[in-house]
Amino acid sequence: MGMASLSTPLSVRLSEEDTAFLAGLEMEGAVTASDKIRGLIRQARQRAASPDSFPVALALSHEHLAAAVRSVRLIEEEIGAHSDVTAGLMTTAEEFLALALAAPRAGDATLEDLVRYEVRLVACASRMTEQLLRWAVTPNAPAYDPQVVATRISAISDLMKLITATPVAR
């Protein structure tokens, strides 16, 4: 870390439960309890401020979901299994969260901004839907349960038939 501004010593009393939580908390670059508390404050400040761009929002969403992604990967390593379905959906969740965090803000947004934003949301949802449909028609989806996608998609196959039978306004 570079030259830090003057810091104020702060003494805090924590319950045993909070102390145990802090000890078990994994935070990138934070080893000591003081590092972790500073990291938690930084995260809270970031959440309180609206991200000013999609890249900043994506970094926040990545950080927010990192523990869950890491946990799944560690379990996969431990049991010798992998799911492209789970990894793909978690990546999509990260993108959706970033899009939500980067939503146009009241006061300076126009209808055109909302239209562009909606296009991005629909594009993300469409990519996810296309991927789910590809996995559904694959004899064995790359998932822990190879039938998980096909089973779920078959529940909406009637809706898909209606969509293909209905002329779409162009």
Side-chain angles (χ1 to χ4, degrees):
M1 226 184 230
M3 189 91 161
S5 60
L6 291 176
S7 58
T8 304
L10 182 65
S11 175
V12 179
R13 293 198 177 277
L14 298 176
S15 69
E16 283 185 33
E17 183 181 359
D18 288 345
T19 302
F21 169 78
L22 197 58
L25 183 65
E26 288 184 27
M27 185 176 286
E28 194 173 322
V31 178
T32 66
S34 292
D35 292 339
K36 292 176 184 182
I37 290 170
R38 282 189 289 273
L40 289 170
I41 291 170
R42 180 182 49 79
Q43 287 177 357
R45 289 178 73 169
Q46 288 173 336
R47 277 194 295 274
S50 300
D52 57 1
S53 68
F54 180 75
V56 171
L58 188 60
L60 289 173
S61 71
H62 178 75
E63 186 174 297
H64 190 72
L65 297 176
V69 170
R70 186 170 42 254
S71 179
V72 168
R73 288 185 177 154
L74 289 173
I75 294 167
E76 285 184 339
E77 175 66 26
E78 187 179 309
I79 66 173
H82 176 71
S83 170
D84 287 346
V85 172
T86 296
L89 292 175
M90 291 181 93
T91 299
T92 301
E94 187 176 273
E95 183 178 356
F96 265 123
L97 178 57
L99 285 168
L101 292 171
R105 299 295 179 224
D108 60 353
T110 65
L111 176 59
E112 290 77 22
D113 293 328
L114 290 175
V115 168
R116 279 192 300 274
Y117 182 65
E118 185 175 59
V119 165
R120 294 179 74 190
L121 288 170
V122 170
C124 185
S126 295
R127 285 191 302 274
M128 181 187 73
T129 303
E130 288 167 16
Q131 185 60 64
L132 282 171
L133 292 174
R134 277 190 211 98
W135 286 324
V137 297
T138 302
N140 289 307
Y144 308 126
D145 170 1
Q147 299 303 312
V148 66
V149 179
T151 300
R152 192 67 196 148
I153 294 294
S154 70
I156 59 169
S157 65
D158 288 343
L159 177 59
M160 292 175 2
K161 288 174 192 163
L162 283 173
I163 290 169
T164 58
T166 305
V168 178
R170 288 185 163 63

